[in-house]
Amino acid sequence: MTSIAVCPGSFDPITFGHLDIITRGAKVFDQIHVVVLNNSSKSPLFSVEERMELIRQSTKDIPNVVVNSFQGLLVDYAKSIKASAIIRGLRAVSDFEYEMQITSMNRVLEEDIETFFIMTNNQYSFLSSSIVKEVAKYGGNISELVPLPVRDALKEKYTSE
Ligand code: PNS
């Protein structure tokens, strides 16, 4: 049986931290769907299409990655592709409360889908899309933080503002 996992997120934009989790998850599952979903507490900088394209470019060397988006509940997407697992990254203890909340909610909604956490490599434990946007906005160097296509896209966003 093919093992399918969903790696959900806002990915606004994808960072090396996300890529680390996706790469490691792709070694464990036969197929990983990296899915752009709506987080109602965030106002994204990039459109869903832009975010998907940046994920596609950044994961082009990982053959078992599928990039998609979904308007709705994560568990409904997971069911629609017969995924048995959700993968989330954990950077620090501060992530835990939020992750516990969404994991518990997803389990109430669909008890047969398991959430697996992958500890982010220490090198990226401070990294978030928000902090990258902040640094990029003021012209700081983000080359160690995001893949090249993301760096270019951020530069374009902030110079065209
Ligand atoms: O990268 P993020 O913003 O931490 O990802 C959060 C995300 C998008 C995975 C979460 O908000 C989500 O699953 N949104 C889809 C709607 C949903 O299923 N909500 C119920 C669980 S909170």
Side-chain angles (χ1 to χ4, degrees):
M1 202 174 94
T2 310
S3 60
I4 305 174
V6 181
C7 184
S10 309
F11 300 108
D12 185 46
I14 186 169
T15 67
F16 279 141
H18 293 125
L19 204 51
D20 175 43
I21 300 300
I22 295 165
T23 306
R24 286 157 58 202
K27 290 181 186 155
V28 177
F29 291 92
D30 294 325
Q31 196 178 68
I32 300 245
H33 284 236
V34 180
V35 184
V36 176
L37 285 143
N38 182 40
N39 180 336
S40 46
S41 61
K42 293 182 180 170
S43 314
L45 174 68
F46 291 97
S47 71
V48 170
E49 265 313 316
E50 288 171 326
R51 284 180 270 165
M52 284 171 64
E53 185 51 32
L54 291 173
I55 298 170
R56 268 189 216 107
Q57 292 175 22
S58 309
T59 59
K60 64 179 180 356
D61 296 329
I62 315 173
N64 54 337
V65 163
V66 174
V67 181
N68 214 339
S69 68
F70 189 67
Q71 295 288 334
L73 290 174
L74 165 59
V75 291
D76 287 338
Y77 178 83
K79 275 193 285 184
S80 75
I81 56 150
K82 298 191 172 19
S84 54
I86 293 167
I87 294 176
R88 293 282 289 174
L90 271 184
R91 289 167 298 192
V93 178
S94 49
D95 281 341
F96 187 75
E97 207 169 326
Y98 169 64
E99 293 300 332
M100 198 174 85
Q101 192 181 18
I102 64 173
T103 300
S104 304
M105 179 49 71
N106 287 332
R107 195 179 304 122
V108 167
L109 294 168
E110 185 50 62
E111 64 179 0
D112 290 337
I113 300 176
E114 281 302 335
T115 298
F116 291 84
F117 292 100
I118 297 180
M119 285 296 299
T120 307
N121 192 315
N122 285 349
Q123 173 184 12
Y124 302 125
S125 59
F126 67 97
L127 189 53
S128 68
S129 300
S130 314
I131 211 161
V132 167
K133 284 182 279 191
E134 172 115 351
V135 175
K137 186 171 182 174
Y138 298 110
N141 181 3
I142 53 168
S143 56
E144 304 287 305
L145 312 179
V146 293
L148 188 57
V150 176
R151 205 186 343 161
D152 292 344
L154 280 165
K155 201 168 176 185
E156 199 178 313
K157 274 279 175 212
Y158 288 124
T159 46
S160 63
E161 257 188 353

